Amino acid sequence: MLLLAVLVATATWSYGYAQGIPMQKPLSVTKSKGSVRLECDFKDVSEYNDGTIIHWYQQKENEAPVRILYLAQSKVVDGGFQEYRYMVEKDSHKKMCILTINDVIPDDSATYYCAYWDRHCAGYYEKVFGSGTKLIVSDEVISSPASSEILQKRHENQIMYVCLIEKFYPEVIRVTWTDEADKEVTDNIIKGDVWKPTNGDKYSIGSWLTVPAENKDKNYYCKYEHESQQRSLSTQDSRKTATQQKDCSPGNSTVNFNKDHLMHRTAYLVYIVLLLKSSMYYLIVLFLIYRMWAPTKHQGKKA
C-alpha cells in the first residue's frame, strides 16, 4: 500500500501542478472465473484526445507495477502476457478506455491502473496513473456493510463526527466527506485503515471529521463506495438518533441500546488517541536526545 501511495502522489503532483486523474470503475471486482471489464474514464482529463496513448499496468501485492500493454493505433502487449487474454478499446464519444481480461485465473489477482503521458508547460512529460481497480479472483461472496453510522462527540469548541462502516467484503472501499453543497471536505479529516478482527472474515473502517462547534447546525455527509453498494450518511440523522436514545426511558422496548456496541467504538477511539499521543512523545524524546548530543559532538570537533 505504501508503494501505491508513493506512486499516485508522484504521478499526480509535481512542482505544485495537478494533472487530471483518470477515474476507474468499478472500485473492485470479485470473480472466480469468466471475463472482467475494467473502465478508465478520461472525461475530467483536459489533455486527453483521440491520439492519446493509453497504458495499462498490473500491480500485485507488495510488488512494483508492471505494464501489460499500451494502445496507440493498435494494441501492443508487453512480453510475459498472453495477448489473446487482453482486449482493449477506446470509446471516443465517452472519452473512455476499456480493458477486458478473459478467462481470469488466481494469478490475475492484482490492482490494475490505466495511465497516460502528460506534457508540462516546461516541455517535459510525466506519466499520470488512474485511480485503480482491484481484481480479486476468489469464490468468496460479496458482502454489503452489515452496519454503518455516524457517531458524534462535542469537546470544548469542536465537534468530532466518526463514520463507522462495519463487516463488509472485499476490503476495498472508498470513504469521503461532503458538505451541504455536495463539495468534498478534505480539511480536518482522518481516514483510518481497513481492519479485520482476528476471529472474523469481514472488514471495517472508520473516518473522522472535526468541525468548529459553530457549525453544529450544518449538515455533513459520509459517503462510501463499495463493490456491493454506494451509500450516503448524514450527520443530521446521527443527531436525531442520539436525541432519541437520550430521551428514551429504560423500559421503552422501541430502542435497543447496545452497550457493548458503544464500548467497542469508544475503545477504538481511545486507541487512536493514545497512538497519536505516543507518536508525539516519541518525537519529543528524539528531539531532546538530539539537543543533548549536538553540543557534545560540537565540543569534540573543537578538541
Side-chain angles (χ1 to χ4, degrees):
M1 293 302 292
L2 179 60
L3 176 60
L4 173 59
V6 172
L7 172 66
V8 173
T10 303
T12 57
W13 291 92
S14 177
Y15 299 100
Y17 177 79
Q19 301 94 339
I21 302 175
M23 296 305 297
Q24 295 180 233
K25 59 181 181 180
L27 195 62
S28 66
V29 181
T30 305
K31 293 193 73 171
S32 59
K33 58 183 179 180
S35 299
V36 172
R37 176 187 169 98
L38 312 179
E39 297 181 358
C40 180
D41 194 337
F42 286 87
K43 67 180 180 181
D44 295 326
V45 180
S46 59
E47 299 84 1
Y48 176 84
N49 56 59
D50 288 341
T52 300
I53 299 175
I54 302 174
H55 308 253
W56 282 91
Y57 283 80
Q58 178 194 74
Q59 184 183 21
K60 295 186 177 181
E61 194 75 23
N62 300 320
E63 294 184 14
V66 177
R67 192 175 68 176
I68 303 171
L69 57 84
Y70 66 90
L71 179 63
Q73 297 298 326
S74 59
K75 177 183 70 174
V76 179
V77 179
D78 289 355
F81 294 93
Q82 299 171 312
E83 182 174 359
Y84 77 92
R85 296 188 60 229
Y86 301 94
M87 293 175 55
V88 62
E89 57 183 316
K90 280 184 180 180
D91 187 329
S92 300
H93 178 67
K94 295 182 178 180
K95 296 181 69 173
M96 184 180 295
C97 183
I98 301 100
L99 173 68
T100 302
I101 305 175
N102 297 311
D103 304 323
V104 295
I105 57 176
D107 191 55
D108 292 325
S109 295
T111 302
Y112 292 82
Y113 298 93
C114 58
Y116 73 101
W117 284 103
D118 176 70
R119 188 178 187 276
H120 285 248
C121 296
Y124 65 92
Y125 287 84
E126 185 173 23
K127 184 164 284 188
V128 181
F129 288 79
S131 54
T133 294
K134 184 169 184 178
L135 171 59
I136 304 165
V137 182
S138 170
D139 291 323
E140 290 283 343
V141 178
I142 301 170
S143 297
S144 302
S147 64
S148 55
E149 59 184 329
I150 295 179
L151 305 176
Q152 61 170 304
K153 175 67 178 178
R154 181 164 180 168
H155 178 69
E156 296 180 353
N157 61 343
Q158 292 183 324
I159 300 176
M160 174 184 283
Y161 296 110
V162 185
C163 183
L164 291 167
I165 306 162
E166 297 185 295
K167 298 181 180 178
F168 54 85
Y169 180 87
E171 74 279 12
V172 186
I173 193 168
R174 180 182 292 132
V175 183
T176 56
W177 288 89
T178 59
D179 60 15
E180 294 174 320
D182 201 30
K183 180 180 179 181
E184 184 173 352
V185 179
T186 56
D187 294 332
N188 301 316
I189 298 287
I190 299 177
K191 296 181 179 179
D193 293 329
V194 174
W195 60 279
K196 181 177 69 170
T198 54
N199 59 345
D201 58 352
K202 301 294 191 301
Y203 296 86
S204 300
I205 192 172
S207 181
W208 291 258
L209 167 65
T210 303
V211 300
E214 56 263 30
N215 291 355
K216 61 183 179 64
D217 293 327
K218 290 187 177 181
N219 199 8
Y220 296 91
Y221 298 89
C222 172
K223 297 182 178 182
Y224 69 82
E225 178 184 352
H226 185 255
E227 186 175 338
S228 62
Q229 64 178 200
Q230 298 182 27
R231 192 179 174 194
S232 178
L233 307 175
S234 167
T235 56
Q236 292 285 2
D237 291 340
S238 73
R239 280 195 284 271
K240 292 177 184 177
T241 302
T243 302
Q244 290 171 356
Q245 290 179 344
K246 183 176 180 180
D247 293 342
C248 289
S249 62
N252 193 337
S253 61
T254 60
V255 177
N256 181 14
F257 187 74
N258 190 331
K259 292 183 179 180
D260 292 338
H261 192 63
L262 294 180
M263 287 177 63
H264 166 72
R265 284 154 179 72
T266 303
Y268 188 61
L269 290 175
V270 171
Y271 169 77
I272 295 296
V273 172
L274 292 177
L275 183 62
L276 292 174
K277 290 179 68 176
S278 65
S279 300
M280 290 297 297
Y281 293 149
Y282 179 73
L283 292 175
I284 292 171
V285 170
L286 286 179
F287 178 74
L288 293 175
I289 293 174
Y290 173 77
R291 289 292 300 273
M292 295 173 60
W293 172 76
T296 306
K297 182 178 180 182
H298 185 64
Q299 293 174 1
K301 287 185 177 180
K302 285 185 175 180

